[in-house]
Amino acid sequence: MSLDTVVEDIREEAHARAEEIREEGESRAKEIVSAAEDDAEEIRAEAEREAEREIEQLREQRLSSAKLEAKQERLEARRDVLGDVREQVETELADLGGDTREELTRTLLDAAGEEFAGADAVSVYGRADDQELLESILDDYDGYEYAGDYDCLGGVVVESEGTRVRVNNTFDSILEDVWEDNLREISERLFEQ
């Protein structure tokens, strides 16, 4: 064997080995690219799922917020309506006149008077506009006298120094009790759904 043949054999072997290495490299490169593409697809899919979850969560938050805001606005509107109704009732009570006002005032005075049985001097306070009415009613009660004005819609505040008792039987206090006791029913009637 000649040196040329040996060199040629080595060359052919080197070329064959180089071709084999190149093919292995290309095969390995294809595997790496394929794995990277699979990873990229998985990452993209997870990113899409995460984005959809965030969008859904944001939508739910905004929907909840909108519902809460609407509920608060409804409650505020109801409070406003109830306030208007209460003001209207107060106006009608303040504007009561004639026999109805006298009858209610007498009833409230009689109810308060039960606390002052046997008292020598009983002071009665009332609305300034009712002074004349109260003085005329008090003519029928021994030991009772009109003692001055009380800021109210009507009715009486009765007290006696001897008993140290004060009874507030004003239209305002009665309305407050009735309003509180019946607020749910009033609201249900006004806002039937």
Side-chain angles (χ1 to χ4, degrees):
M1 211 186 295
S2 76
L3 190 52
D4 286 333
T5 309
V6 172
V7 170
E8 194 57 39
D9 284 345
I10 292 174
R11 239 188 231 150
E12 285 177 17
E13 234 180 81
H15 280 296
R17 180 72 183 131
E19 185 61 28
E20 189 179 304
I21 291 172
R22 189 187 59 74
E23 286 175 4
E24 284 178 13
E26 284 180 7
S27 176
R28 180 70 183 126
K30 284 181 183 177
E31 289 174 10
I32 292 171
V33 168
S34 178
E37 287 174 349
D38 290 347
D39 287 349
E41 180 60 28
E42 189 176 318
I43 291 169
R44 187 190 60 73
E46 179 58 33
E48 283 180 2
R49 285 191 298 273
E50 183 62 30
E52 287 174 12
R53 275 195 300 271
E54 287 179 14
I55 289 168
E56 182 61 23
Q57 186 178 26
L58 184 58
R59 188 184 75 73
E60 287 296 324
Q61 287 174 345
R62 287 188 177 166
L63 183 61
S64 290
S65 179
K67 284 180 180 178
L68 180 61
E69 188 176 324
K71 185 176 183 177
Q72 288 172 334
E73 287 177 7
R74 256 191 333 273
L75 288 173
E76 190 173 316
R78 285 181 176 194
R79 272 194 300 272
D80 290 346
V81 169
L82 285 169
D84 291 346
V85 168
R86 171 100 184 227
E87 283 180 26
Q88 184 179 353
V89 169
E90 288 174 352
T91 299
E92 289 181 19
L93 284 172
D95 293 345
L96 275 177
D99 293 341
T100 303
R101 187 171 203 86
E102 181 176 346
E103 183 181 331
L104 287 173
T105 304
R106 281 185 184 275
T107 301
L108 293 172
L109 184 60
D110 288 342
E114 293 174 8
E115 297 291 327
F116 302 99
D120 293 332
V122 177
S123 300
V124 178
Y125 299 87
R127 188 173 89 148
D129 292 349
D130 290 347
Q131 181 176 348
E132 195 175 301
L133 171 65
L134 285 168
E135 287 174 342
S136 114
I137 291 172
L138 292 176
D139 286 342
D140 298 339
Y141 293 81
D142 289 333
Y144 284 62
E145 74 174 44
Y146 183 75
D149 298 341
Y150 188 83
D151 185 22
C152 62
L153 301 170
V156 293
V157 174
V158 183
E159 65 183 14
S160 170
E161 243 181 74
T163 61
R164 292 190 176 152
V165 173
R166 182 176 207 172
V167 177
N168 182 344
N169 268 3
T170 59
F171 292 174
D172 310 69
S173 67
I174 303 300
L175 173 60
E176 184 64 31
D177 290 344
V178 169
W179 188 264
E180 290 301 317
D181 291 345
N182 296 288
L183 184 58
R184 177 174 288 224
E185 183 181 335
I186 293 167
S187 183
E188 286 173 0
R189 283 189 179 187
L190 286 173
F191 307 111
E192 286 181 27
Q193 293 180 357

